Amino acid sequence: MGFLKDKVALVTGAARGIGRAIALRLADEGAHTALCDLRKEWVEETAAEVARRGCRAEIYEVDVSQAAQVQACVDAALAAFGRLDILVNNAGITKDGFLARMSEADWDAVLNVNLKGAFLFTKAASKPMIRQRSGVIVNVASIIGLIGNAGQCNYAASKAGLIALTKSTAKELASRNIRANAVAPGFIQTAMTDKLPEDVRRKMLEVTPLGRFGQPEDVANVVAFLASDASAYVTGQVITVCGGMVMA
Amino acid sequence: MSLEEKVKEIIVEQLGVNAEQVKPEASFIEDLGADSLDTVELVMAFEEEFRAEIPDEDAEKLTTVGAVIEYLKSKGFDKQLEENKSSNG
């Protein structure tokens, strides 16, 4: 093991759930991590776990939807680590509601974090990666971005947008040896999905061929693959991690 | 180092061309073999060197070596370079 030894990875939304699992999985492989979330203290536990794995962790308090904060975060991470090899745009929120009753504020909030946040981080990180002539970007999308979902028009649009951002980034930066891919998790057991009602959860399970909910580590394993040289010839792709719920 | 020399140095480094090719009339894309992303990188390099922010509407006009030099002069960066030189001793 250790196929990401001494790489530097920046992970957004690293406090909990899938983001936390990704940070730890990358650290398992030897990557140092810049950990971002809305509150510094939320990320401290993840940072301690990274450090326990013998890797360096720096934590940054950043609202991913604010351009100046994002740029400052990337600048600070570059100053601390000297380079940036892997960017994982994972920060995401839901504000579910039926389209006919969705407020403009709920639409904007979800698009700003899930899509604009990834754009801002990709923009800021692309400059050092272009200079380095290497880099890997992994965006955490969702199967909802592929198939849509009642009650989640904002979330679905943000994740579909994230997939299109991934493909455009992949095309634009390929000549500089920078790859961009997305993972599209299905039903993963996190605080985000714990909010869903029992009948929804049961229905989800019925349409999942592998017959269980995913764990954050299931997603993190695929992110680690996409962040590594094992996927050197893979760019602009969306890999679903959904127990077979959606098959392309 | 004059502004012209500094600009040429950046272009040589960014595009991997010979200094003799970097004439004022040379077009980055047609004469110096740059692709469109190279031109973005060049603007980033000028911004970094001169600690300037070049707006997109200006950047897209900077297609030749001479255009860059004229633009940076029009923004007073030749004088800034002189001042730095004198303040550095």
Side-chain angles (χ1 to χ4, degrees):
Chain A
M1 287 313 214
F3 56 72
L4 298 175
K5 189 164 166 40
D6 292 332
K7 298 276 188 191
V8 176
L10 188 153
V11 182
T12 68
R16 302 182 298 169
I18 293 174
R20 176 181 180 278
I22 290 169
L24 302 189
R25 186 70 183 85
L26 299 181
D28 281 341
E29 298 301 338
H32 305 296
T33 57
L35 306 171
C36 310
D37 217 303
L38 209 45
R39 296 278 172 272
K40 227 171 181 173
E41 58 269 25
W42 295 352
V43 209
E44 278 164 3
E45 192 270 340
T46 311
E49 280 293 309
V50 168
R52 216 168 57 80
R53 287 159 168 78
C55 297
R56 197 174 150 197
E58 297 287 337
I59 58 182
Y60 302 96
E61 184 167 301
V62 49
D63 176 347
V64 301
S65 66
Q66 301 296 319
Q69 289 187 35
V70 170
Q71 188 62 54
C73 170
V74 170
D75 288 345
L78 281 171
F81 292 97
R83 58 183 294 115
L84 179 56
D85 301 293
I86 301 158
L87 167 67
V88 182
N89 285 308
N90 165 79
I93 60 169
T94 55
K95 286 193 181 289
D96 298 350
F98 287 114
L99 174 62
R101 294 190 52 82
M102 180 164 295
S103 70
E104 189 180 354
D106 283 355
W107 172 271
D108 286 346
V110 169
L111 268 288
N112 281 341
V113 172
N114 299 10
L115 182 54
K116 183 184 170 189
F119 156 67
L120 292 174
F121 262 102
T122 303
K123 181 180 174 183
S126 69
K127 289 171 192 170
M129 287 179 173
I130 285 171
R131 255 180 241 123
Q132 287 167 195
R133 291 290 189 269
S134 74
V136 176
I137 298 164
V138 182
N139 293 325
V140 180
S142 165
I143 56 161
I144 301 305
L146 296 168
I147 62 175
N149 197 20
Q152 289 198 306
C153 67
N154 50 357
Y155 185 78
S158 74
K159 295 299 187 178
L162 188 55
I163 289 168
L165 172 67
T166 306
K167 293 176 180 178
S168 301
T169 305
K171 288 187 175 177
E172 221 171 273
L173 300 181
S175 66
R176 300 307 188 266
N177 192 34
I178 298 166
R179 297 185 295 110
N181 290 288
V183 289
F187 195 106
I188 308 297
Q189 269 184 328
T190 65
M192 189 187 275
T193 52
D194 286 344
K195 289 188 294 195
L196 293 170
E198 188 50 42
D199 60 319
V200 174
R201 296 160 60 88
R202 198 168 25 191
K203 272 185 202 151
M204 292 279 191
L205 207 51
E206 278 168 17
V207 293
T208 303
L210 285 180
R212 66 169 177 93
F213 294 136
Q215 296 301 315
E217 291 71 24
D218 290 316
V219 180
N221 282 331
V222 178
V223 173
F225 163 69
L226 290 172
S228 78
D229 288 341
S231 62
Y233 200 52
V234 180
T235 196
Q237 304 304 308
V238 185
I239 301 189
T240 55
V241 185
C242 62
M245 191 194 287
V246 175
M247 299 190 187
Chain B
M1 191 180 277
S2 73
L3 181 127
E4 282 88 346
E5 287 167 331
K6 192 80 224 167
V7 167
K8 280 185 185 174
E9 185 185 82
I10 291 169
I11 294 167
V12 165
E13 193 190 315
Q14 283 287 329
L15 301 182
V17 292
N18 294 324
E20 306 85 74
Q21 293 173 265
V22 188
K23 296 177 189 135
E25 64 276 17
S27 151
F28 296 123
I29 291 178
E30 277 148 41
D31 301 316
L32 300 178
D35 66 19
S36 50
L37 190 52
D38 285 322
T39 62
V40 174
E41 277 191 74
L42 263 179
V43 170
M44 277 161 47
F46 295 136
E47 286 182 326
E48 204 167 316
E49 179 63 37
F50 296 100
R51 298 185 190 289
E53 198 155 313
I54 302 175
D56 288 344
E57 57 267 31
D58 292 345
E60 60 196 35
K61 293 181 198 137
L62 305 180
T63 57
T64 65
V65 177
V68 170
I69 292 168
E70 285 313 306
Y71 175 78
L72 292 172
K73 277 186 180 168
S74 78
K75 298 289 174 187
F77 288 109
D78 50 341
K79 291 179 195 81
Q80 182 186 305
L81 219 55
E82 287 298 314
E83 279 162 27
N84 289 348
K85 211 187 303 172
S86 48
S87 64
N88 289 340

